[in-house]
Amino acid sequence: MGILLQKAPLIISGPCSAETEEQVMQTAIRLAATGRVDIMRAGIWKPRTRPGSFEGIGTKGLPWLQQAKKETGLPVAVEVATGKQVEDALHFGVDVLWIGARTTVNPFSVQEIADALRGVKVPVLIKNPLNPDLELWVGGMERIAKAGIEELGLIHRGFSSYGNTEYRNAPMWHLAIEMKRRYPGIPMINDPSHICGRRDILQAVAQQAIDLDFDGLIIESHIDPDNAWSDAKQQITPEVLKEMLEAIRWRKENIASEEFHMALEKLRQQINQLDDELLQVLSTRMKVAQKIGEYKKNNDITILQTNRWNEILERAVAKGNVLGLSDDFITKYMDAVHMESIQQQNKIMNS
Ligand code: PEP
Ligand code: MN
C-alpha cells in the first residue's frame, strides 16, 4: 500500500517554507518526537502573491530535507510548480510532491508537471485551485493520472474570496465533499493552516474535517512561528501540534453495531420522507410562481420586483431564526428558490 493510504488519518506537518538548515533539522526532530506525524512538508519554491517577499530558498534547501529524513526517518513532501522543480525534487529523493493552489488553476503548468512525471513513481497531492471550480481540480488530477502517476491524493485548502472573512480561504466544504463523492478511493486531506490563516481557529477546522471523514490533515508547523519567513500567523510549534492532535476527537465512518445501524436507518428513512415532502412543497410553490408569471406577462410587469423580494427574504430570515435556522442558510436557500422562480417565470413570459 502506498504512503498516502498507509495510515488514516495521515498527518503531514512542517514549515510553510524551509528557511535554514538548522530550522529544517530542528523542526524535523521536534515533529518526529511528537510520534504523530507521518510526513514532513516544507516549501522550497514559494509562490507568493506579491513580489519582494521571501520566495523560497530554492534547490539549495533540498539536501537539508534529505538530511532531515536521514536523521528522523520522516518522509518529506515538497511543492512543485514547474518541470525543473519536479526534476530537482526527485533528484534529491523527495518522497511526496504536491501541486499548489496557484498552480492547479493553470492547465499549462499542471501539464508541464505531468510531462516531467512521465515514467516516474511518486505520490502526488493536488491542492484545490484558488477559485471554487471543481472541474479545474478534477482536470489537474486527470493530467497527473494520465502521466502514469498511480498514487494520487487531494488537498482541500479553501478558496480565495474578495474581502475579509473569518477565514483566509473560505472552506466551501461542499466542494471537497463533492470530490470525495466522485472519487471515493482518493484520499482527501484537509489543510486547516491555509483555510484559517490564523492559529485560533485551526483546531475547529481540523475537527470539522475529521467529522466529515477526511483522510488526513496537513498543518504548518515551525520552531519559532512568530518569526517564520512566510505564513507566520498560521504556524504552530510541533508541540502545540501534538496537543492539537491529542485534543481532536477522532471519528470513524462506520461501526459494526447492529443497534447503531438500525437506529441510523430509521432516522435516514425519516430524512428521505422529509426530503420528498420538501420537494413536493417546492414544486407546488413553483406552480404558484408560474401563475404569477402569467399575470405579469398579461400586464407587462417585470419579473423582478425588488421590494417584494426584500419582503420575502426578511420574512424568511425572521421565521427561520425562530425555527433555529441560520441567516446564512436561509439567505442561500431563499436565493436558490427565488432564482428557480425567476427562471420558471422567464419561460412563461417569453413563450
Ligand atoms: C503552502 O502549502 O505553503 C502553499 C503555498 O499553499 P497553497 O498552495 O494552498 O496556497
Ligand atoms: Mn504556507
Side-chain angles (χ1 to χ4, degrees):
M1 197 186 280
I3 188 171
L4 302 181
L5 288 167
Q6 237 164 45
K7 214 187 111 234
L10 185 77
I11 306 295
I12 306 175
S13 187
C16 178
S17 307
E19 298 163 5
T20 65
E21 187 167 6
E22 177 67 9
Q23 170 243 11
V24 168
M25 191 59 69
Q26 286 310 313
T27 312
I29 290 169
R30 286 166 58 178
L31 283 174
T34 67
R36 306 202 60 133
V37 174
D38 305 298
I39 299 173
M40 174 167 169
R41 62 150 283 155
I44 290 289
W45 302 281
K46 298 303 298 177
R48 305 309 297 280
T49 305
R50 306 271 303 268
S53 47
F54 175 60
E55 302 208 291
I57 203 74
T59 308
K60 159 177 155 193
L62 290 171
W64 306 343
L65 290 179
Q66 220 173 12
Q67 190 58 29
K69 180 184 170 185
K70 212 169 130 198
E71 289 278 319
T72 61
L74 282 177
V76 291
V78 156
E79 172 176 353
V80 288
T82 67
K84 173 75 166 65
Q85 292 172 2
V86 171
E87 281 166 29
D88 286 0
L90 294 174
H91 177 76
F92 285 96
V94 169
D95 302 277
V96 175
L97 304 178
W98 88 80
I99 298 179
R102 288 162 192 77
T103 307
T104 311
V105 288
N106 185 347
F108 285 143
S109 299
V110 178
Q111 191 56 50
E112 185 187 318
I113 293 169
D115 292 339
L117 284 169
R118 222 167 276 283
V120 176
K121 209 168 141 62
V122 66
V124 178
L125 297 165
I126 298 129
K127 284 200 167 193
N128 67 253
L130 292 172
N131 53 330
D133 181 341
L134 208 70
E135 297 312 316
L136 213 41
W137 200 0
V138 170
M141 189 169 64
E142 282 173 345
R143 283 178 201 277
I144 302 302
K146 270 195 173 168
I149 295 294
E150 284 169 6
E151 212 184 336
L152 291 168
L154 298 165
I155 299 177
H156 167 233
R157 52 79 77 198
F159 302 87
S160 55
S161 61
Y162 181 73
N164 290 335
T165 65
E166 182 186 9
Y167 302 105
R168 177 176 172 193
N169 291 292
M172 302 194 185
W173 294 98
H174 58 286
L175 292 174
I177 291 169
E178 173 59 10
M179 281 302 262
K180 273 169 65 61
R181 191 190 65 77
R182 287 199 206 176
Y183 304 99
I186 308 250
M188 174 66 79
I189 293 163
N190 180 255
D191 178 346
S193 304
H194 292 91
I195 288 178
C196 300
R198 49 192 255 211
R199 293 176 198 130
D200 59 329
I201 53 174
L202 283 176
Q203 173 99 38
V205 167
Q207 182 68 60
Q208 178 143 16
I210 296 308
D211 292 347
L212 290 171
D213 192 35
F214 276 54
D215 303 289
L217 299 169
I218 177 167
I219 299 177
E220 287 185 341
S221 57
H222 195 284
I223 49 169
D224 183 8
D226 285 335
N227 292 305
W229 297 2
S230 60
D231 286 353
K233 285 205 197 98
Q234 69 197 31
Q235 305 205 57
I236 52 178
T237 62
E239 294 72 29
V240 169
L241 173 77
K242 182 173 187 226
E243 276 168 31
M244 211 175 109
L245 294 173
E246 272 162 10
I248 284 179
R249 182 114 193 191
W250 302 100
R251 304 183 208 271
K252 39 202 170 313
E253 193 185 6
N254 226 326
I255 53 168
S257 150
E258 181 97 359
E259 201 183 323
F260 167 80
H261 282 283
M262 270 165 54
L264 201 64
E265 190 46 42
K266 260 201 196 146
L267 291 170
R268 286 184 169 158
Q269 277 172 11
Q270 271 185 43
I271 292 269
N272 286 351
Q273 182 61 35
L274 289 165
D275 279 344
D276 288 352
E277 286 171 26
L278 279 172
L279 290 172
Q280 283 296 337
V281 173
L282 278 172
S283 159
T284 308
R285 188 193 191 281
M286 290 307 155
K287 295 214 171 73
V288 176
Q290 285 168 8
K291 269 196 200 136
I292 295 179
E294 303 274 358
Y295 280 109
K296 286 179 180 166
K297 180 181 181 178
N298 295 336
N299 294 285
D300 280 323
I301 305 265
T302 58
I303 294 182
L304 179 66
Q305 282 153 335
T306 315
N307 283 344
R308 170 63 183 150
W309 170 228
N310 273 332
E311 183 191 308
I312 291 179
L313 199 57
E314 273 168 29
R315 215 175 141 261
V317 168
K319 239 196 155 92
N321 277 341
V322 175
L323 295 168
L325 302 168
S326 73
D327 288 10
D328 184 49
F329 167 70
I330 292 293
T331 308
K332 281 189 187 133
Y333 165 76
M334 289 309 294
D335 254 337
V337 169
H338 185 230
M339 284 317 293
E340 178 68 14
S341 278
I342 287 180
Q343 242 156 29
Q344 303 247 1
Q345 292 191 357
N346 210 352
K347 256 195 238 153
I348 287 171
M349 304 276 270
N350 296 302
S351 64

